[in-house]
Amino acid sequence: MSAFVRTPRRRVLWVLLAVLLLAPLQPAGLRAQPGDPEREQVRAVALKAAELIATRGLEEAATVFNRDGEFRHGALYVTVIDFAGVWKVYPPRPAGVGMSVINVKDPDGRDIVRDILSVARDGGEGWVDYRWLNPANNRIEPKTTFVKRVPGQELVAYVGLYH
């Protein structure tokens, strides 16, 4: 206890700063890893969602995505945006459909919509990590999202996993 009292304030501040900067980084064991069944489920749902949009159209797919079932349960849901960054489907807040989210950042300032669009445009699919509000518990949590461009369209379906 007395060692703490004699510790210079500057050193304590540096330690606190380091903790705050490193807090968002999680040990690898706590993150969704390749081969993780939940991660694979998220990927499978996103791929299936993009295929549903491609074969049945966005309007019919949106109806399916917005009701509880295969594409929406608990904290798992399909979000769809177009290449301009406009929400086409967002089950946690359907009133937001039609809203531009191109400039949305996560709580750490990361341009998550631009990152999602970049993955979709550049490779057609892939993973994006960020922090977001979990509608299941109303807390900001780390999220890993699988992004899939809808074949032949300027639409992106994505599904995330909170951890």
Side-chain angles (χ1 to χ4, degrees):
M1 182 82 168
S2 64
F4 179 75
V5 173
R6 287 186 293 200
T7 302
R9 279 184 196 243
R10 185 176 284 172
R11 185 174 192 169
V12 170
L13 290 174
W14 277 111
V15 169
L16 287 173
L17 179 62
V19 168
L20 289 173
L21 290 174
L22 297 175
L25 303 176
Q26 296 179 350
L30 297 179
R31 304 210 45 191
Q33 297 296 309
D36 177 342
E38 287 181 319
R39 184 177 162 115
E40 294 307 316
Q41 177 194 15
V42 161
R43 182 178 181 275
V45 170
L47 293 173
K48 194 169 184 178
E51 183 62 28
L52 183 64
I53 296 167
T55 59
R56 293 199 181 158
L58 180 59
E59 189 173 327
E60 189 175 331
T63 301
V64 174
F65 300 156
N66 280 306
R67 67 176 179 242
D68 287 341
E70 177 182 8
F71 294 99
R72 181 181 182 194
H73 53 88
L76 185 140
Y77 54 89
V78 174
T79 300
V80 181
I81 57 174
D82 65 17
F83 273 19
V86 174
W87 267 335
K88 298 299 184 179
V89 178
Y90 188 58
R93 198 172 124 221
V97 170
M99 178 186 302
S100 174
V101 291
I102 191 70
N103 294 317
V104 168
K105 298 178 187 298
D106 80 353
D108 301 320
R110 183 170 182 177
D111 287 319
I112 59 175
V113 176
R114 292 179 196 277
D115 289 350
I116 287 167
L117 289 171
S118 177
V119 167
R121 283 187 185 120
D122 296 346
E125 64 182 56
W127 294 94
V128 176
D129 294 315
Y130 55 98
R131 294 186 332 127
W132 198 244
L133 180 67
N134 183 337
N137 62 23
N138 207 32
R139 291 189 309 212
I140 300 291
E141 296 181 345
K143 188 172 186 179
T144 298
T145 294
F146 188 79
V147 174
K148 175 64 178 162
R149 179 179 183 171
V150 176
Q153 298 183 39
E154 291 190 349
L155 293 172
V156 181
Y158 55 98
V159 179
L161 169 66
Y162 292 96
H163 46 89

